[in-house]
Coordinates of all heavy atoms in Angstrom, one line a residue:
L1287 N 105.8 144.8 173.0 CA 105.2 143.5 173.2 C 103.7 143.5 172.8 O 103.0 144.6 173.0 CB 105.3 143.1 174.7 CG 106.7 143.2 175.3 CD1 106.6 142.7 176.8 CD2 107.7 142.4 174.5
S1288 N 103.2 142.4 172.3 CA 101.8 142.2 172.0 C 101.3 141.0 172.7 O 101.9 140.0 172.9 CB 101.7 142.0 170.5 OG 102.2 143.1 169.7
C1289 N 100.0 141.1 173.0 CA 99.2 140.0 173.6 C 97.9 139.9 172.9 O 97.1 140.8 172.9 CB 99.0 140.3 175.1 SG 97.9 139.1 175.9
V1290 N 97.8 138.8 172.1 CA 96.6 138.5 171.4 C 95.7 137.6 172.2 O 96.1 136.6 172.7 CB 96.9 137.9 170.0 CG1 95.6 137.5 169.3 CG2 97.8 138.8 169.2
V1291 N 94.4 138.1 172.4 CA 93.4 137.4 173.1 C 92.5 136.7 172.2 O 91.9 137.3 171.3 CB 92.6 138.3 174.0 CG1 91.6 137.5 174.9 CG2 93.5 139.1 174.9
S1292 N 92.3 135.4 172.4 CA 91.4 134.6 171.5 C 90.5 133.7 172.4 O 90.8 133.5 173.5 CB 92.2 133.7 170.5 OG 93.0 132.8 171.2
G1293 N 89.4 133.3 171.8 CA 88.4 132.4 172.5 C 87.1 133.1 172.7 O 86.8 134.1 172.0
T1294 N 86.3 132.6 173.5 CA 85.0 133.1 173.8 C 85.1 134.2 174.8 O 85.4 134.0 176.0 CB 84.0 132.0 174.3 OG1 84.0 131.0 173.3 CG2 82.6 132.6 174.5
L1295 N 84.8 135.5 174.4 CA 84.8 136.6 175.3 C 83.4 137.1 175.6 O 82.7 137.5 174.6 CB 85.7 137.7 174.6 CG 87.1 137.3 174.2 CD1 87.8 138.5 173.5 CD2 87.9 136.7 175.3
L1296 N 83.1 137.2 176.8 CA 81.7 137.6 177.2 C 81.7 139.1 177.5 O 80.6 139.7 177.4 CB 81.2 136.8 178.4 CG 81.2 135.3 178.3 CD1 80.7 134.7 179.6 CD2 80.3 134.9 177.1
R1297 N 82.8 139.7 177.9 CA 82.9 141.1 178.2 C 84.3 141.6 178.1 O 85.2 140.8 178.1 CB 82.3 141.3 179.6 CG 83.1 140.7 180.7 CD 82.5 141.0 182.1 NE 83.3 140.5 183.2 CZ 84.2 141.1 183.8 NH1 84.5 142.4 183.4 NH2 84.9 140.6 184.8
V1298 N 84.5 142.9 178.2 CA 85.8 143.5 178.2 C 86.3 143.5 179.7 O 85.6 143.9 180.6 CB 85.8 144.9 177.7 CG1 87.2 145.6 177.8 CG2 85.3 145.0 176.3
N1299 N 87.5 142.9 179.8 CA 88.1 142.8 181.2 C 89.3 143.8 181.3 O 89.9 144.3 180.3 CB 88.6 141.4 181.4 CG 87.6 140.5 182.0 OD1 86.4 140.7 181.7 ND2 88.0 139.5 182.7
T1300 N 89.8 144.0 182.5 CA 91.0 144.6 182.8 C 92.1 143.7 182.3 O 92.1 142.5 182.5 CB 91.2 144.9 184.3 OG1 90.2 145.8 184.7 CG2 92.6 145.5 184.5
M1301 N 93.1 144.3 181.6 CA 94.3 143.5 181.1 C 95.5 144.1 181.8 O 95.6 145.3 182.1 CB 94.4 143.6 179.6 CG 93.2 143.1 178.8 SD 93.0 141.3 179.0 CE 94.5 140.7 178.3
A1302 N 96.5 143.2 181.9 CA 97.7 143.7 182.6 C 99.0 143.0 182.0 O 98.9 141.9 181.4 CB 97.6 143.4 184.1
W1303 N 100.1 143.6 182.3 CA 101.4 143.0 182.0 C 102.2 142.8 183.3 O 102.2 143.7 184.2 CB 102.3 143.9 181.1 CG 101.8 143.9 179.7 CD1 101.0 144.7 179.0 CD2 102.2 142.9 178.7 NE1 100.8 144.4 177.7 CE2 101.6 143.2 177.5 CE3 103.0 141.7 178.7 CZ2 101.7 142.5 176.3 CZ3 103.1 141.0 177.5 CH2 102.5 141.4 176.3
Y1304 N 102.8 141.7 183.5 CA 103.6 141.4 184.6 C 105.0 141.0 184.1 O 105.1 140.6 182.9 CB 103.0 140.2 185.4 CG 101.8 140.5 186.3 CD1 100.6 140.7 185.7 CD2 101.9 140.5 187.7 CE1 99.5 141.0 186.4 CE2 100.8 140.8 188.4 CZ 99.6 141.0 187.8 OH 98.5 141.3 188.6
R1305 N 106.0 141.0 185.0 CA 107.3 140.4 184.6 C 107.9 139.7 185.8 O 107.6 139.9 186.9 CB 108.2 141.6 184.1 CG 108.7 142.5 185.2 CD 109.5 143.7 184.6 NE 109.9 144.6 185.6 CZ 110.5 145.8 185.3 NH1 110.6 146.2 184.1 NH2 110.8 146.6 186.3
Q1306 N 108.8 138.8 185.4 CA 109.5 138.0 186.4 C 111.0 138.0 186.1 O 111.4 137.4 185.0 CB 109.0 136.6 186.6 CG 109.5 135.9 187.7 CD 108.7 134.6 188.1 OE1 108.0 134.1 187.2 NE2 108.9 134.1 189.3
A1307 N 111.8 138.6 186.9 CA 113.3 138.6 186.7 C 113.8 137.3 187.3 O 113.2 136.7 188.2 CB 113.9 139.8 187.3
P1308 N 115.0 136.9 186.8 CA 115.6 135.7 187.3 C 115.8 135.8 188.9 O 116.3 136.8 189.4 CB 117.0 135.7 186.7 CG 116.8 136.5 185.4 CD 115.8 137.5 185.7
G1309 N 115.3 134.7 189.5 CA 115.4 134.7 191.0 C 114.5 135.6 191.8 O 114.6 135.7 193.0
K1310 N 113.5 136.2 191.1 CA 112.6 137.1 191.8 C 111.2 136.7 191.5 O 110.9 135.9 190.7 CB 112.8 138.6 191.3 CG 114.2 139.2 191.6 CD 114.1 140.7 191.6 CE 115.3 141.3 192.3 NZ 115.1 142.7 192.5
Q1311 N 110.3 137.3 192.4 CA 108.9 137.0 192.2 C 108.3 137.8 191.0 O 108.8 138.8 190.6 CB 108.1 137.5 193.5 CG 108.4 136.6 194.7 CD 107.5 137.0 195.9 OE1 107.1 136.1 196.6 NE2 107.2 138.2 196.0
R1312 N 107.2 137.3 190.5 CA 106.5 138.0 189.4 C 105.9 139.3 190.0 O 105.3 139.3 191.1 CB 105.4 137.1 188.9 CG 104.8 137.6 187.6 CD 103.9 136.6 187.0 NE 104.6 135.3 186.7 CZ 104.0 134.3 186.1 NH1 102.7 134.3 185.7 NH2 104.7 133.2 185.8
E1313 N 106.0 140.4 189.2 CA 105.6 141.7 189.7 C 104.7 142.3 188.6 O 104.9 142.1 187.4 CB 106.7 142.6 190.0 CG 107.6 143.0 188.8 CD 108.7 144.0 189.2 OE1 108.6 144.6 190.3 OE2 109.6 144.1 188.4
S1314 N 103.7 143.1 189.0 CA 102.9 143.8 188.1 C 103.6 145.0 187.5 O 104.4 145.7 188.2 CB 101.6 144.4 188.9 OG 100.8 145.1 188.0
V1315 N 103.5 145.2 186.2 CA 104.1 146.3 185.5 C 103.2 147.4 185.1 O 103.4 148.5 185.3 CB 104.9 145.7 184.3 CG1 105.5 146.9 183.4 CG2 106.0 144.8 184.7
A1316 N 102.1 147.0 184.5 CA 101.1 147.9 183.9 C 99.7 147.3 183.8 O 99.6 146.1 183.6 CB 101.5 148.4 182.6
R1317 N 98.7 148.1 184.0 CA 97.3 147.6 183.8 C 96.5 148.6 183.0 O 96.8 149.8 183.0 CB 96.6 147.5 185.2 CG 97.2 146.5 186.1 CD 96.2 145.8 187.0 NE 95.5 146.8 187.8 CZ 94.3 146.6 188.5 NH1 93.8 145.4 188.4 NH2 93.8 147.5 189.2
I1318 N 95.6 148.1 182.2 CA 94.7 148.9 181.5 C 93.3 148.5 181.7 O 92.9 147.3 181.6 CB 95.0 149.0 179.9 CG1 94.1 150.0 179.2 CG2 94.9 147.6 179.3 CD1 94.5 150.4 177.8
F1319 N 92.4 149.4 182.2 CA 91.0 149.0 182.6 C 90.1 149.1 181.4 O 90.5 149.6 180.3 CB 90.6 150.0 183.7 CG 91.4 149.9 184.9 CD1 92.5 150.8 185.1 CD2 91.1 149.0 185.9 CE1 93.2 150.7 186.3 CE2 91.9 148.9 187.1 CZ 92.9 149.8 187.2
S1320 N 88.9 148.5 181.5 CA 88.0 148.5 180.4 C 87.7 149.9 179.9 O 87.3 150.1 178.8 CB 86.7 147.8 180.8 OG 86.1 148.4 181.9
S1321 N 87.8 150.9 180.8 CA 87.5 152.3 180.5 C 88.6 152.9 179.6 O 88.4 154.0 179.1 CB 87.3 153.1 181.8 OG 88.6 153.2 182.5
G1322 N 89.8 152.3 179.6 CA 91.0 152.8 179.0 C 92.0 153.4 179.9 O 93.1 153.8 179.5
S1323 N 91.6 153.6 181.1 CA 92.5 154.2 182.1 C 93.6 153.2 182.4 O 93.4 152.0 182.3 CB 91.8 154.5 183.4 OG 90.8 155.5 183.3
T1324 N 94.8 153.7 182.8 CA 96.0 152.9 183.0 C 96.6 153.2 184.3 O 96.4 154.2 184.9 CB 97.0 153.1 181.9 OG1 97.4 154.5 181.8 CG2 96.4 152.7 180.5
N1325 N 97.4 152.2 184.8 CA 98.4 152.5 185.9 C 99.6 151.7 185.7 O 99.7 150.7 184.9 CB 97.7 152.3 187.2 CG 97.3 150.9 187.5 OD1 97.8 150.0 187.0 ND2 96.3 150.8 188.5
Y1326 N 100.7 152.1 186.3 CA 102.0 151.6 186.1 C 102.8 151.4 187.4 O 102.6 152.2 188.4 CB 102.9 152.5 185.2 CG 102.3 152.7 183.9 CD1 101.4 153.8 183.6 CD2 102.6 151.9 182.8 CE1 100.8 154.0 182.4 CE2 102.0 152.1 181.5 CZ 101.1 153.1 181.3 OH 100.6 153.3 180.1
A1327 N 103.7 150.5 187.4 CA 104.7 150.4 188.5 C 105.6 151.6 188.5 O 105.9 152.1 187.4 CB 105.5 149.1 188.4
D1328 N 106.0 152.0 189.7 CA 106.9 153.2 189.7 C 108.2 153.0 188.9 O 108.7 154.0 188.3 CB 107.3 153.5 191.2 CG 106.1 154.1 191.9 OD1 105.1 154.6 191.3 OD2 106.2 154.1 193.2
S1329 N 108.7 151.8 188.9 CA 109.9 151.5 188.2 C 109.9 151.7 186.7 O 110.9 151.8 186.0 CB 110.4 150.1 188.5 OG 109.4 149.1 188.1
V1330 N 108.7 151.7 186.1 CA 108.5 151.8 184.6 C 107.8 153.0 184.2 O 107.7 153.4 183.0 CB 107.9 150.6 184.0 CG1 108.6 149.3 184.4 CG2 106.4 150.5 184.4
K1331 N 107.2 153.8 185.2 CA 106.4 154.9 184.9 C 107.2 156.0 184.1 O 108.4 156.3 184.5 CB 105.9 155.6 186.1 CG 104.7 156.6 185.9 CD 104.2 157.0 187.3 CE 103.0 158.0 187.1 NZ 101.8 157.3 186.5
G1332 N 106.7 156.4 183.0 CA 107.4 157.4 182.1 C 108.2 156.7 181.0 O 108.6 157.4 180.1
R1333 N 108.4 155.4 181.1 CA 109.1 154.7 180.1 C 108.2 153.7 179.3 O 108.5 153.5 178.1 CB 110.3 154.0 180.7 CG 111.3 154.9 181.4 CD 112.6 154.1 181.8 NE 112.3 153.1 182.8 CZ 112.5 151.8 182.6 NH1 113.0 151.3 181.5 NH2 112.2 150.9 183.6
F1334 N 107.3 153.1 180.0 CA 106.4 152.1 179.4 C 105.0 152.6 179.2 O 104.6 153.4 180.0 CB 106.3 150.8 180.3 CG 107.6 150.0 180.4 CD1 108.8 150.4 180.0 CD2 107.5 148.8 181.0 CE1 110.0 149.7 180.1 CE2 108.7 148.0 181.2 CZ 109.9 148.4 180.7

């Protein structure tokens, strides 16, 4: 998956991916901080 960011950007922010399965709440999948560090949901760790 790709996410292109456009517009006026004043600084580098944390970016994240979420997902929402049918009939379920939106959940966090992965985050990448401005430093480049990352974290993942347990359900996708090692695969995403």
Side-chain angles (χ1 to χ4, degrees):
L1287 307 184
S1288 298
C1289 172
V1290 177
V1291 183
S1292 62
T1294 302
L1295 308 179
L1296 302 180
R1297 66 181 183 89
V1298 177
N1299 275 26
T1300 299
M1301 300 294 296
W1303 286 96
Y1304 287 70
R1305 69 185 179 191
Q1306 188 165 20
K1310 293 200 163 191
Q1311 293 188 143
R1312 192 171 299 183
E1313 64 176 347
S1314 176
V1315 174
R1317 298 212 299 168
I1318 184 163
F1319 300 93
S1320 58
S1321 66
S1323 295
T1324 60
N1325 62 25
Y1326 300 90
D1328 288 343
S1329 59
V1330 307
K1331 196 175 183 68
R1333 299 187 297 120
F1334 290 11

